[in-house]
Amino acid sequence: MEMEKEISAIVSHAENALQAVDTADVAALPHRVEDLKSKFIGKNSEINNVYRLMKNVAPADRPVFGKLVNDAKKRIEDRILSFESACEELVLRFRLSAEQIDVTLPGKSAGKGALHPLTLARNLLTDYFISLGFEVADGPEIETDYYNFEALNTPADHPARDAQDTFYIDGSGGKYLLRSQTSATQIRTMENKKPPIKMIAPGRVYRADEVDATHSPVFHQLEGLVVDKGITMCDLKGILDALAKHLFGESVATRFRPSFFPFTEPSVEVDASCVKCGGKGCKACRGAGWIEVLGAGMVNRAVLRNCGIDPQKYSGFAFGVGIDRIANLLYGINDMRVLFENDVRFLRQFR
Ligand code: DAH
C-alpha cells in the first residue's frame, strides 16, 4: 500500500510539473520539455528509481508491483510525449507568425545599370563598320617601337614622333612602349592577312599628356584600314562622309583638308559641319562652323611594302578616329575628365 501511494505521488508530481509549465513563454518551451523528460522519464527519474525497490517486495507480490510501476511509467511517458508534441506545435505556430514574410511588399530595386558613354560611342562606331563588312581586330597595348612607329614609316629621327609624347617601358631601351595610336594594328593586320582587307581596331592608347579638359594620358581610338585592288580616295571620302552622317545626322556635311601623317600619302583631316549650329558658327565650333573629327589618308606605299604588300597591285586607305572625341560630340560633353572620373551621377544619365 505504501508503495502504491508512493507511485501515484510520483505520477501526480509529474502531472503537476507539466501543469506548471508557462506555455506562453514559447521561446523557452523546447528547454522546459527537455528538462521534464530527463526529470520524469530519464535514466534517473523518480519512476525508474522505484524499480530498485523491487528487491524489498515479497516475490509473490512482485508481478502486481511490476505492473503498477509499468503502468505508472507508461502514463507519465504518454503525458510528457503528448505535451512535447503540443509544445512543438506551439513553437511552430509561433515561428510561422513571427517570421512571416509579406510577399506583397514592394521589393528593393537593384538599380538599373547603364553603358558608359565611351562604350556607347565605340559600339555605335563598330556596329556601323561591321554592317559594312569590316572585321574587328585587336592588338596589344604594350607595343614595340617597330609596330607603333617604324613600320608606320616613322623612323627614330622622324619629327612626327614629337607630336606623340610616348610612354616607354622602363628598361626596354626604347624597344617597348604603350601604344600611342591604334595605327599599330594596321601593321599587325597586313602582316597576317593578304588583301582584300577591311578591318577596324578600337582600343586604348596612351600619351604623356597632362590631364585637362581636352587631354588625358589614356584615351581611345578606332583605326580603320581598307586594302584591295583599285582603292581610291573616292572610297575614303564616300565611307567617311557616310560615317559622319550616320553619327551626326543626314544633314551633316564633311570637308577634307590636306594634312600630314607619315603612314598616309596623301593625308587628310576630316571635319564635319557643326552639329550644334549647322555650320553657321557658334561657341561649340568656335565660330568656324566645322568640327574636326578624324585623320585619314591613302596608305603610304612604304607602309604597304613594309608589310609585304605590293603597292603596284594594291592600294588602300586608313583612318583613325578618337572615340572620346566622338562621345563628347554626341553627348554634349565639354570636359573629357568626366569620362574617367566615373561619378555615378554623370553615368546615370546614360540609362
Ligand atoms: N594615328 C593618328 C593619330 O593618332 C590618326 C590617324 C590618322 C590614323 C590618319 C590613320 C590615318 O589611320 O590614316 O593621330
Side-chain angles (χ1 to χ4, degrees), residues 16 24 33 39 67 72 74 87 115 119 126 146 160 170 195 236 250 255 279 281 302 323 325-326 328 330 342-343:
N16 291 340
V33 171
K39 189 160 176 198
K67 185 171 175 346
K74 176 91 177 51
C87 287
L115 289 180
T119 308
T126 51
Y146 178 76
D170 277 355
L236 176 156
E250 279 305 313
R255 78 175 178 186
I323 298 176
R325 184 158 177 72
I326 298 298
N328 290 349
L330 285 174
N342 286 332
D343 184 329

Side-chain angles (χ1 to χ4, degrees), residues 164 180-183 186 207 219 221 223-224 261 263-264 267-268 294-298 317-321:
Q164 301 188 0
S180 63
Q181 48 186 356
T182 44
S183 304
Q186 285 188 30
R207 288 184 200 174
F219 59 102
Q221 290 186 330
E223 195 76 15
F261 298 103
F263 31 87
T264 45
S267 303
V268 289
L294 56 86
M298 300 307 293
F317 70 83
F319 57 91
V321 47

